Amino acid sequence: KSRPLSSPGERISKASEIQVMASADLQWELIKRNSCFLVKRGRKAFSTEAGNLKCRNSFNSNGLIHRRTVGIEAPTAGKSGVVLVLRNQRQANRPARSHSRVPLQRQGPRGVLGSIKKILRQRRYRRDLELAALRRASAIMRGQRKIGGK
């Protein structure tokens, strides 16, 4: 009589719980032409996934396949500033805990951009992600500006 691999009362070892993720190159080959986030307009292909700051369907700007991604979001309605979303490498296999959100609201626009740059440089993110994050944050804050008038 063969015994099942694990019964309900038996504890599974930690080694069997760890999931091995495929390399970024392999993941890109699987999703580059067929993804639910893919939007094709004319001859260009765009992507709408979280963590893709440039909205391009390319290996470098994809937010799903890389271990370290940066996202910039607008805060909830009625608040100014931006929310910096960083992927936590240690929680990669836990999707609910894999992203940390840092609201940046109290400073003015220059303070927000300076704090984004400081956080990304301290954590050693890629320079191209830093520039794209600064551009996205300034665009969001530009849209939050109140129109002056009489």
Side-chain angles (χ1 to χ4, degrees), residues 8-140:
E10 195 175 331
R11 181 159 172 80
I12 301 173
S13 68
K14 274 289 195 194
S16 64
E17 290 179 10
I18 297 173
Q19 296 177 359
V20 178
M21 295 183 68
S23 69
D25 295 320
L26 178 61
Q27 289 179 19
W28 174 245
E29 288 299 321
L30 294 173
I31 67 168
K32 71 180 176 182
R33 288 195 182 101
N34 188 12
S35 171
C36 64
F37 299 108
L38 189 60
V39 178
K40 294 181 181 179
R41 296 283 184 251
R43 293 183 181 179
K44 294 186 179 181
F46 300 101
S47 186
T48 60
E49 77 261 359
N52 188 344
L53 292 170
K54 296 182 179 181
C55 296
R56 293 183 189 153
N57 188 36
S58 67
F59 177 78
N60 285 336
S61 58
N62 194 293
L64 297 174
I65 60 176
H66 295 293
R67 290 184 178 177
R68 304 182 86 179
T69 59
V70 179
I72 301 288
E73 299 175 353
T76 58
K79 295 184 180 179
S80 62
V82 296
V83 178
L84 179 64
V85 182
L86 302 169
R87 182 178 281 180
N88 187 358
Q89 290 178 316
R90 294 181 181 147
Q91 302 290 338
N93 294 332
R94 297 179 179 180
R97 296 182 185 178
S98 66
H99 291 86
S100 61
R101 298 178 183 280
V102 181
L104 304 170
Q105 301 171 353
R106 295 184 183 140
Q107 310 106 344
R110 288 179 186 238
V112 169
L113 295 178
S115 60
I116 290 172
K117 187 183 284 190
K118 182 179 176 183
I119 290 170
L120 294 181
R121 285 193 179 169
Q122 282 177 348
R123 297 186 185 190
R124 298 182 182 202
Y125 277 82
R126 295 184 346 228
R127 291 288 177 141
D128 61 331
L129 289 181
E130 178 184 325
L131 184 60
L134 293 174
R135 286 182 177 174
R136 173 70 63 94
S138 65
I140 290 173

